[in-house]
Amino acid sequence: MIIVLKPMATEDDAKQILGKIELKGLKPLFMPGVERIVLGALGDERKLTELQLAAHPMVESVKPILTSYKQVSREMQSHDSQVAIGQGKSKTIIGGENFTVIAGPCAIETKQQIELCSEIVSKHGGNILRGGAFKPRTSPYSFQGLEEDGLVLMRQAAETAGIPCVTEIIDASHVGLLSQYVDALQIGARNMQNFRLLKAAGQSQIPIILKRGMSATIEELLLAAEYIYNEGNQNIILCERGIRTFETRTRNTLDLGAVAYIKNQCHLPVIVDPSHGTGIRELVSPMARAAAACGADGIMVEVHNDPLSALSDGKQSLNESEFESLMRGLKPFVDAAGKVLK
Ligand code: PEP
Ligand code: MN
């Protein structure tokens, strides 16, 4: 429920109502605005009717939140959320007017490889370095990642380039470990509904890039984000990375309609991964431009110094000149969308 207080209501009035909400076993939310205080009550709404809040002298209106996801919904917060990744000079804001480019190899392979990739990314205007260290591979015989050793290498490379870095988390017990090395954690498609992982991510404050599961509906993605938000971490960025459909020519079907839908219904930033979304190098740049055109807040792309020798996802990875060309081609679309490439 959203409870809008009258303009003359004070913080003490709000506290008193929030106390009653809590006593009924619902989660109280305090959302002070410029003109009015707005309160929220999450949980079994039937219990709330017993409080007769609509009749309270300081309450202007009580309305239900119609969506299944609540706190990430625009009904709860109409303005766009922004998420800061990194600290100090390398701090990057995702959302609002910014169009953010996250780029780097699918997996961290060697010191030289991650250094070269990091140089390519920063030289051509990428904002954040990506690199997998714990890889959730479809086959147990595929390269599984360098684990913590890889994170040491990526942290050094990102620091040299002066940009933040992000890696995928696959185990709820790793939040602390990974947070020592990276500025944001990615929850991959295969773990979008790993609820223990979502809760563990929600109990920290590190920014989370939550990728859409390959068979997940938009509502399931938003409910997965709600899990993280509900634990107290509001630093969430959603990522459309393609879904499984009957189409097999492309690796996945990149659902850009989902981006427009989510931007309309949810206040969190949304980025697009055209690399996993298509699986084909030649399609990455056109779909990156389409992502900018449909209102995404950024992209995540795979870039490798030598895609032909990549240990994972070489077919969808861009080399230096392809990444440079992507960045050049993207700019007019970002401009047209009213956003800024920093
Ligand atoms: C990745 O970004 O490295 C990755 C594995 O992507 P996804 O979870 O979208 O498959
Ligand atoms: Mn990959």
Side-chain angles (χ1 to χ4, degrees), residues 166-299:
V166 43
T167 201
E168 178 168 354
I169 180 165
I170 57 172
D171 191 312
S173 69
H174 286 176
V175 176
L177 174 76
L178 270 53
S179 302
Q180 291 170 30
Y181 296 104
V182 297
D183 304 289
L185 298 176
Q186 181 180 321
I187 295 183
R190 291 159 190 78
N191 275 307
M192 190 205 82
Q193 283 188 317
N194 179 339
F195 298 111
R196 274 178 186 260
L197 181 56
L198 297 174
K199 284 190 179 181
Q203 283 154 13
S204 108
Q205 283 302 309
I206 189 163
I208 305 295
I209 299 172
L210 177 64
K211 298 186 88 174
R212 181 178 182 183
M214 56 192 87
S215 302
T217 63
I218 295 171
E219 184 164 13
E220 285 163 348
L221 171 62
L222 294 173
L223 283 168
E226 188 85 7
Y227 262 93
I228 301 171
Y229 205 100
N230 194 39
E231 292 294 322
N233 189 352
Q234 303 183 355
N235 302 310
I236 308 167
I237 297 139
L238 301 174
C239 181
E240 163 59 38
R241 49 77 73 205
I243 49 173
R244 282 261 168 95
T245 66
F246 54 82
E247 183 53 70
T248 53
R249 284 296 169 118
T250 46
R251 180 175 178 182
N252 289 290
T253 297
L254 190 63
D255 183 9
L256 293 183
V259 177
Y261 183 89
I262 295 169
K263 290 296 296 177
N264 190 253
Q265 296 287 318
C266 165
H267 56 79
L268 299 174
V270 183
I271 63 170
V272 170
D273 173 350
S275 306
H276 295 88
T278 63
I280 302 169
R281 179 177 307 126
E282 289 76 10
L283 307 189
V284 172
S285 209
M287 296 320 285
R289 297 196 292 267
C294 75
D297 297 294
I299 50 169

Side-chain angles (χ1 to χ4, degrees), residues 106 130 135 251 276 302 312-313 316:
C106 182
R130 63 148 286 153
K135 293 301 299 175
R251 180 175 178 182
H276 295 88
E302 287 185 339
S312 66
D313 286 351
Q316 66 194 34

Side-chain angles (χ1 to χ4, degrees), residues 103-104 117-129 163 303 323:
C117 291
S118 174
E119 269 170 44
I120 295 170
V121 170
S122 62
K123 180 172 161 198
H124 299 291
N127 308 105
I128 298 173
L129 178 65
I163 53 176
V303 169
F323 180 59

